Amino acid sequence: AAKKDPEKFQGNWQLISAERDGKKTPQEDAKRITLTIQGNKFILRKDGVVLSEGTMTLNPTKKPKEIDETITTGPNKGKVFSAIYEIDGEHHKICFAAPGKERPTAFSSLPGSGQLLQVWKREKK
């Protein structure tokens, strides 16, 4: 998994659902957000405009699998976000802690948790 997971993340992704603090992002907003991953770098865009960029570090040996994202461009520049993830060939699910909070232990976004749960689908080439 340590070698395979980074490979699985490579490419372009379309956000299919997002929920923060128990509130779902409207579908029409979610589908405007894309993610491009090359190597350990990512670029998050909305309507083609860059929202943020950064690097990611995976730890697939943990259960649940862990990911840390360090933001290098955008409003959260310099911040590190702790998260957990699951990935297969076509989808990945990621759950971020609120900044400064402990890493999530489950894929949930309960009201008041500050957690962000996202589901992404690989874009067809």
Side-chain angles (χ1 to χ4, degrees), residues 15-80:
L15 187 62
I16 51 177
S17 71
E19 189 178 312
R20 184 190 301 270
D21 269 338
K23 294 186 188 71
K24 290 203 178 297
T25 299
Q27 195 64 46
E28 59 273 12
D29 289 346
K31 70 183 182 191
R32 295 164 54 200
I33 298 177
T34 58
L35 179 66
T36 302
I37 299 176
Q38 291 180 306
N40 72 334
K41 294 185 172 28
F42 66 87
I43 302 173
L44 188 69
R45 293 181 178 93
K46 184 173 183 177
D47 297 329
V49 177
V50 173
L51 294 177
S52 73
E53 296 180 51
T55 59
M56 57 185 208
T57 307
L58 304 180
N59 186 347
T61 62
K62 298 281 191 183
K63 294 230 184 302
K65 296 177 178 184
E66 295 181 354
I67 182 169
D68 290 321
E69 292 190 354
T70 304
I71 309 303
T72 57
T73 304
N76 289 310
K77 181 177 180 174
K79 290 187 180 162
V80 177

Side-chain angles (χ1 to χ4, degrees), residues 63-66 83-84 95-97 102-108 115:
K63 294 230 184 302
K65 296 177 178 184
E66 295 181 354
I84 55 174
C95 185
F96 290 97
E102 292 290 309
R103 186 184 310 277
T105 55
F107 292 93
S108 66
Q115 291 182 184

